[in-house]
Amino acid sequence: MDAYCGVSDDQSDAARQQERHYYLLSELQVLVKDLPSSFQQRLSYTTLSDLAQALIDGTVYEIVQGLLDIQHLTEKNLYNQRQKLHSEHRALKQDLVRKHKQALQTCKSHNLAVLKTNQRAETEALDQRVKDEQRMMDEKIVAEMDQKVLDQQNTLEKAGVPGFYITTNPQEVMMQMNLLELILKLQQKETHSGSLP
């Protein structure tokens, strides 16, 4: 009798999983219609079916949410670093202007031309320093965000999510972004309807 119940439970689990797979697949097919047609054409029935299969137990939703949380923290941190640098630059410029005003007030008239030339050179040097430091900060931000994309691709590939692998090809990255959008929209829909596993 127990063996029979075990078979029945396995069959009902399989039936529930199959039913959930069909539900997820049909929802994905509806959501795909919101994507640009060029991406719709690249998402075959098999890809959507494989994606639905990967989403059945809800683990992928948790992984995607974790990756989003990490990305948002990284973006906030990088934004704060850039704002701090901007504030430091503003303070440096204000200090230089104050120093220049004080020097002009105490300068003898016969030294005025030399002082103005030196001040102009100091201002240009600070402007160049600010420009260089901002460029380096922006390059650091782009490099860190590029690394986050690679980390996300690697994590989703290891989790077995179809369509994800490490690439820098812009069309492939855009396709992966569209897949993520589908996953997030489906997760949101399931959260609101209460049908998450």
Side-chain angles (χ1 to χ4, degrees):
M1 176 89 178
D2 287 340
Y4 177 74
C5 288
V7 170
S8 178
D9 285 346
D10 288 347
Q11 287 174 339
S12 64
D13 279 350
R16 274 194 300 275
Q17 281 200 340
Q18 188 64 37
E19 186 179 315
R20 180 149 170 77
H21 179 262
Y22 285 138
Y23 162 77
L24 291 169
L25 179 57
S26 68
E27 291 297 322
L28 285 169
Q29 288 172 320
V30 170
L31 291 172
V32 162
K33 293 176 182 167
D34 293 336
L35 295 177
S37 61
S38 60
F39 291 109
Q40 287 181 33
Q41 293 167 7
R42 293 192 53 206
L43 289 172
S44 69
Y45 176 87
T46 304
T47 302
L48 291 177
S49 180
D50 291 347
L51 182 57
Q53 189 67 41
L55 296 174
I56 285 179
D57 70 356
T59 304
V60 170
Y61 292 144
E62 293 172 18
I63 292 169
V64 168
Q65 195 56 56
L67 292 173
L68 274 177
D69 292 346
I70 291 168
Q71 180 178 330
H72 290 150
L73 286 172
T74 301
E75 288 170 352
K76 184 177 180 181
N77 181 34
L78 292 170
Y79 174 80
N80 289 338
Q81 286 179 35
R82 194 171 197 291
Q83 288 302 103
K84 181 181 177 215
L85 182 65
H86 183 68
S87 295
E88 290 170 3
H89 288 159
R90 190 171 42 246
L92 286 171
K93 287 180 178 183
Q94 289 170 349
D95 288 346
L96 189 61
V97 167
R98 193 172 19 257
K99 178 183 146 194
H100 285 179
K101 280 184 182 175
Q102 288 173 347
L104 283 171
Q105 290 171 351
T106 60
C107 182
K108 306 285 186 224
S109 59
H110 65 278
N111 290 334
L112 197 55
V114 172
L115 178 64
K116 285 186 176 184
T117 301
N118 288 343
Q119 288 182 342
R120 195 169 22 258
E122 282 181 342
T123 300
E124 288 172 4
L126 180 58
D127 288 345
Q128 187 60 48
R129 174 183 163 192
V130 165
K131 184 179 171 185
D132 291 345
E133 288 179 3
Q134 284 177 336
R135 180 186 43 74
M136 287 189 299
M137 175 60 77
D138 291 345
E139 288 172 357
K140 175 188 173 200
I141 288 170
V142 168
E144 283 198 41
M145 292 311 298
D146 285 349
Q147 185 58 50
K148 278 290 162 249
V149 169
L150 296 175
D151 292 347
Q152 291 171 349
Q153 291 170 336
N154 187 40
T155 300
L156 292 167
E157 179 182 27
K158 285 181 178 175
V161 182
F164 285 91
Y165 55 93
I166 294 176
T167 181
T168 55
N169 178 318
Q171 284 102 358
E172 295 303 311
V173 171
M174 186 58 72
M175 176 58 88
Q176 291 176 349
M177 289 170 64
N178 283 310
L179 287 170
L180 275 176
E181 185 180 334
L182 291 175
I183 292 168
L184 291 169
K185 283 182 177 178
L186 188 53
Q187 178 187 23
Q188 191 174 35
K189 184 172 185 172
E190 287 198 278
T191 300
H192 290 308
S193 71
S195 58
L196 275 174

